[in-house]
Amino acid sequence: MKRLPRIEQYGLIGDMQTSAHVCDDGSIDWLCLPRFDSAAVFAALLGTEQHGSWRICPTPVTEGVPGVVARRGYRGDSLVLESQWRTPTGTVRVVDFMPPRDGAPQMIRIVEGTVGEVPMISALCPRPGYGRVSPWIHGLGGRVIAEAGADALWLDSSAPQVEKDGSIVSSFTVAAGESVAFVLSWCPSHAAPPEIPDPDAALADTLGFWSDWTGQCTYEGPYREAVVRSLITLKAMTYAPSGGIVAAPTTSLPEEIGGGRNWDYRYTWLRDASATLAALLGTGYRQEAEAWRRWLLRAVAGDPENLQIMYGITGERYLPERELPWLPGYEESAPVRVGNGAADQLQLDVYGEVIETLHLAHQGGVAHCGDTAVLHRRLVEHLEECWQEPDEGIWEIRGERRHFVHSKVMAWVAVDRTIRLAEAGALDVDLFALIELREAIHHEVCVKGFDPVRNTFTQSYGSKELDASLLLIPRVGFLPADDPRVVGTVDAVRRELSTSDGLVRRYPTAGDRAGVDGLAGDEGTFLLCAFWMVDALALTGRRAEARSFFGRLLALPNDLGLLAEEYDPVAGRQLGNFPQAFSHMGLVQSALLLQQLSDTPSRDSKATTATSTRCDGSAHAADAPRADQSTTVAALTGQLGPAPTSEQFVHARRETDDRCAEALKEAGKSFADTGADQ
């Protein structure tokens, strides 16, 4: 019988340098050693058990068919996973964890008898090189070694071990009160053997580490359990030696079952890392921001003009994309890819995300150092030269470059946050020139990126398509949330990109035809976009609806609180790389926003009519509140100072709007005539 576990059947353990995926049948099906981006030694997640796995479970009643755990969960606020089986002869628990390390990576699995006696089996099938290489398995001094090329895996256990068909197998019985530990260590094959750890001491140290770390969390709101689990997951995706943060610890888990939208996320995207750090900063964590800033300085080095959108976890620039034809892919979803060709793309929004994070770090008490200031100025100087270029955008399209509205909005954010830092005395720049640049970007977006007929911003200049990233316009402060253009955009995204249950697609896809992203095929709803919708609803005054929707989203994580990149509402399953930093970051940010808004008076969206000013200067009314709080999430958490009212915002934009009024006669015609990007 072929195993076909769903993505949500997996749990995560890790040591802040790599991680492993543990299925609810006791099989570890994904592990890269010694780093997140190393070749996998267990790759069954993207193939079969013969591509590498390690199963510990009660001896199957039916040969080859393992049972599923009766109960599993993390021990407290930690990354120590406990799985419990009930069998006809007794009950057994398996404790899986990876101790935070300075030396060799280790995976420890402790089998504990709790009731009666349970026959158990451990079947370790190591396959280095992403499942392609069968290692040389032999014994040495009572230890079992699996060697292949540069890699050596050392297995230590009190249970007897035998080699069988390329696997290391152990059959044993555990009784109540007894325990049997297995320790798998990695080291270079030419190096001295790794030390044999004390499993119980390692468990105590690991639990102590996570207790100390989660104890720093400052969030005490109503969603604390989900927030803390998301923060632990985000922490698990940091690479401790460098401060880099991976977007996800897996590659090629599909966005569509059987499709080809399969990508390698085991690298540090500036955008994803910035968003992750914003969530960590918002919950009291500064150390990660300081480490990431040092990583950023090393990665960008002296070449900010050639800023990449992603780097390796220690700052590597060369991330060539290739396919692994010997792996059939998760549920036959091929190809399996390693590396990522998007590393060479132009994505202008990255400047905004990086500079926003530097600004939030400063607001959170991380002082702006001289080296960071030099990098910051050079980034803004380069952005001034390139912001009017088309790019591949936040979603990394593989089609023709476009003038994406979100990219331009985030260019505006980069300039705006630079101005704020300068005004706070943290950065020496030409304020007058930057204020003019900020107004120029705002003016162009309002004219070229807004469809006055439909009262919505669009995916790109002149396009008819919408994009979920437009939901960020009020959140980043580009316009106040009670502006009719914002309300109209939120409603348009709900109407055109939402499913019947409210989940949100990133943008329209075209099935078998290549869509706007240059790719054929469809995908699930994007979980981060659903959290953006929560924020947009809350900021536009629909707080009860936002809280209700957020509550429904909290039902989507698996039984361990983990979220993938996407969700298929028809099949009721998670899709895409897992777990996904973007999804967990979105959960944390939405929880923070809802908590902050609960401390301000609510306004009934049906009882209040908002009046704002369009780019053409005309008054426009909409059924939405006057959102005095309608600015960025950061402002609502006290990081950017008091939020401007709609009246203050309109006054500050009056000069820009006057210029827009003169241009809008051409804008309507230009928008209608363009039909595609300028």
Side-chain angles (χ1 to χ4, degrees):
M1 180 177 177
K2 186 176 181 180
R3 294 174 66 240
L4 289 173
R6 289 190 169 196
I7 291 170
E8 56 266 30
Q9 289 180 243
Y10 286 94
L12 181 78
I13 60 174
D15 61 5
M16 280 73 69
Q17 296 191 44
T18 189
S19 63
H21 282 55
V22 187
C23 191
D24 61 5
D25 63 4
S27 181
I28 296 177
D29 291 338
W30 183 255
L31 173 65
C32 300
L33 290 171
R35 307 184 348 166
F36 290 109
D37 57 355
S38 299
V41 297
F42 302 151
L45 182 66
L46 302 176
T48 70
E49 289 181 327
Q50 291 307 306
H51 290 107
S53 63
W54 183 11
R55 177 161 52 94
I56 294 182
C57 65
T59 303
V61 176
T62 302
E63 182 65 28
V65 183
V68 175
V69 297
R71 183 164 60 97
R72 66 175 179 170
Y74 289 110
R75 184 179 293 185
D77 291 335
S78 78
L79 209 61
V80 175
L81 180 62
E82 297 182 328
S83 304
Q84 186 178 86
W85 281 267
R86 297 189 183 98
T87 76
T89 61
T91 302
V92 66
R93 178 170 55 237
V94 177
V95 182
D96 292 319
F97 65 99
M98 298 182 73
R101 55 169 158 124
D102 293 323
Q106 294 175 329
M107 175 181 295
I108 299 179
R109 312 191 74 179
I110 302 175
V111 184
E112 300 175 341
T114 58
V115 177
E117 292 187 348
V118 181
M120 299 289 293
I121 186 168
S122 168
L124 171 62
C125 177
R127 291 293 184 270
Y130 295 105
R132 196 177 195 183
V133 180
S134 295
W136 171 39
I137 297 174
H138 59 103
L140 180 64
R143 309 175 78 179
V144 180
I145 313 167
E147 293 183 283
D151 300 300
L153 294 170
W154 294 72
L155 181 63
D156 296 290
S157 178
S158 60
Q161 311 285 330
V162 297
E163 189 274 333
K164 180 180 179 182
D165 299 327
S167 295
I168 305 168
V169 180
S170 177
S171 297
F172 59 100
T173 298
V174 62
E178 297 179 346
S179 66
V180 177
F182 295 81
V183 180
L184 184 68
S185 305
W186 176 95
C187 72
S189 57
H190 61 273
E195 294 183 1
I196 303 175
D198 179 337
D200 293 329
L203 175 59
D205 290 344
T206 302
L207 289 170
F209 169 85
W210 286 109
S211 177
D212 291 343
W213 190 82
T214 56
Q216 302 172 45
C217 178
T218 58
Y219 176 78
E220 296 293 343
Y223 311 109
R224 181 174 170 82
E225 181 178 353
V227 166
V228 170
R229 179 50 54 194
S230 287
L231 291 172
I232 291 170
T233 305
L234 293 172
K235 177 65 172 175
M237 287 188 269
T238 63
Y239 184 68
S242 71
I245 304 172
V246 297
T250 56
T251 179
S252 300
L253 289 178
E255 298 170 10
E256 179 185 29
I257 298 298
R261 293 171 178 257
N262 317 318
W263 316 106
D264 192 349
Y265 280 10
R266 299 170 300 150
Y267 307 109
T268 299
W269 271 255
L270 297 184
R271 176 190 305 107
D272 301 52
S274 298
T276 296
L277 287 167
L280 290 168
L281 281 165
T283 48
Y285 294 96
R286 281 180 41 185
Q287 182 178 351
E288 287 75 11
E290 293 171 345
W292 180 79
R293 186 176 67 178
R294 292 191 295 271
W295 175 91
L296 178 68
L297 289 169
R298 293 192 302 269
V300 178
D303 196 21
E305 292 80 8
N306 293 312
L307 183 74
Q308 293 187 183
I309 59 107
M310 77 177 82
Y311 297 85
I313 53 179
T314 56
E316 299 90 342
R317 288 172 171 260
Y318 185 55
L319 308 174
E321 183 175 300
R322 65 189 191 279
E323 298 179 2
L324 307 183
W326 61 88
L327 286 174
Y330 177 84
E331 292 194 21
E332 305 297 325
S333 303
V336 171
R337 296 182 174 96
V338 296
N340 200 301
D344 298 324
Q345 289 186 351
L346 174 64
Q347 297 174 20
L348 293 172
D349 66 294
V350 167
Y351 291 87
E353 275 111 11
V354 169
I355 291 175
E356 168 79 318
T357 302
L358 294 176
H359 177 253
L360 292 178
H362 175 76
Q363 294 293 324
V366 180
H368 221 61
C369 70
D371 291 335
T372 306
V374 171
L375 172 62
H376 190 149
R377 283 193 295 269
R378 291 184 65 182
L379 289 174
V380 173
E381 289 168 0
H382 184 63
L383 180 62
E384 186 173 5
E385 298 174 357
C386 69
W387 74 269
Q388 290 178 301
E389 297 179 15
D391 71 336
E392 278 90 0
I394 182 175
W395 306 128
E396 301 177 356
I397 66 164
R398 301 211 170 189
E400 184 180 354
R401 287 182 175 181
R402 295 170 176 254
H403 290 281
F404 287 102
V405 169
H406 175 261
S407 296
K408 309 301 186 186
V409 168
M410 293 308 296
W412 177 92
V413 168
V415 180
D416 178 75
R417 303 313 189 256
T418 303
I419 292 170
R420 295 186 189 208
L421 281 170
E423 291 173 338
L427 197 62
D428 183 17
V429 293
D430 184 346
L431 265 178
F432 180 79
L434 287 180
I435 290 171
E436 281 199 332
L437 176 59
R438 180 176 65 181
E439 296 304 318
I441 298 173
H442 194 275
H443 164 76
E444 180 175 295
V445 172
C446 286
V447 172
K448 295 184 177 181
F450 181 73
D451 182 347
V453 176
R454 297 159 66 203
N455 190 34
T456 181
F457 286 92
T458 58
Q459 184 181 53
S460 59
Y461 292 174
S463 74
K464 294 298 182 184
E465 295 87 2
L466 299 183
D467 193 300
S469 63
L470 300 170
L471 296 170
L472 293 174
I473 286 175
R475 180 174 168 178
V476 300
F478 186 81
L479 286 172
D482 65 345
D483 188 299
R485 291 165 293 184
V486 171
V487 176
T489 299
V490 173
D491 290 342
V493 169
R494 294 183 82 187
R495 185 172 58 249
E496 298 188 23
L497 295 181
S498 292
T499 63
S500 59
D501 49 9
L503 297 177
V504 184
R505 298 186 299 274
R506 292 187 291 179
Y507 49 80
T509 53
D512 293 337
R513 296 182 295 107
V516 66
D517 57 7
L519 298 169
D522 295 312
E523 62 177 13
T525 61
F526 206 78
L527 289 171
L528 175 61
C529 298
F531 291 114
W532 286 347
M533 181 61 76
V534 170
D535 299 346
L537 290 172
L539 287 169
T540 53
R542 293 168 272 194
R543 299 187 198 174
E545 192 175 354
R547 286 191 295 269
S548 175
F549 185 34
F550 186 66
R552 297 201 305 274
L553 293 179
L554 292 184
L556 297 184
N558 71 357
D559 58 316
L560 298 174
L562 302 179
L563 286 168
E565 181 180 35
E566 299 185 359
Y567 188 82
D568 181 348
V570 176
R573 63 182 302 181
Q574 298 195 38
L575 296 172
N577 282 309
F578 174 86
Q580 176 79 5
F582 252 173
S583 300
H584 286 280
M585 173 278 300
L587 187 155
V588 173
Q589 291 286 49
S590 291
L592 289 172
L593 176 61
L594 292 174
Q595 176 68 9
Q596 293 297 325
L597 287 178
S598 69
D599 297 332
T600 62
S602 180
R603 297 173 185 259
D604 188 341
S605 63
K606 294 183 179 180
T608 307
T609 298
T611 302
S612 188
T613 306
R614 285 183 173 177
C615 281
D616 61 359
S618 63
H620 183 79
D623 290 332
R626 302 191 67 80
D628 292 347
Q629 76 284 357
S630 60
T631 182
T632 64
V633 171
L636 289 160
T637 56
Q639 293 170 312
L640 302 182
T645 65
S646 179
E647 289 82 358
Q648 291 170 329
F649 206 106
V650 171
H651 177 75
R653 296 287 176 214
R654 185 167 295 158
E655 185 175 338
T656 298
D657 286 347
D658 288 343
R659 293 198 301 268
C660 289
E662 296 176 5
L664 197 65
K665 293 178 182 179
E666 292 296 325
K669 180 177 183 300
S670 172
F671 192 95
D673 290 347
T674 302
D677 290 322
Q678 305 277 347

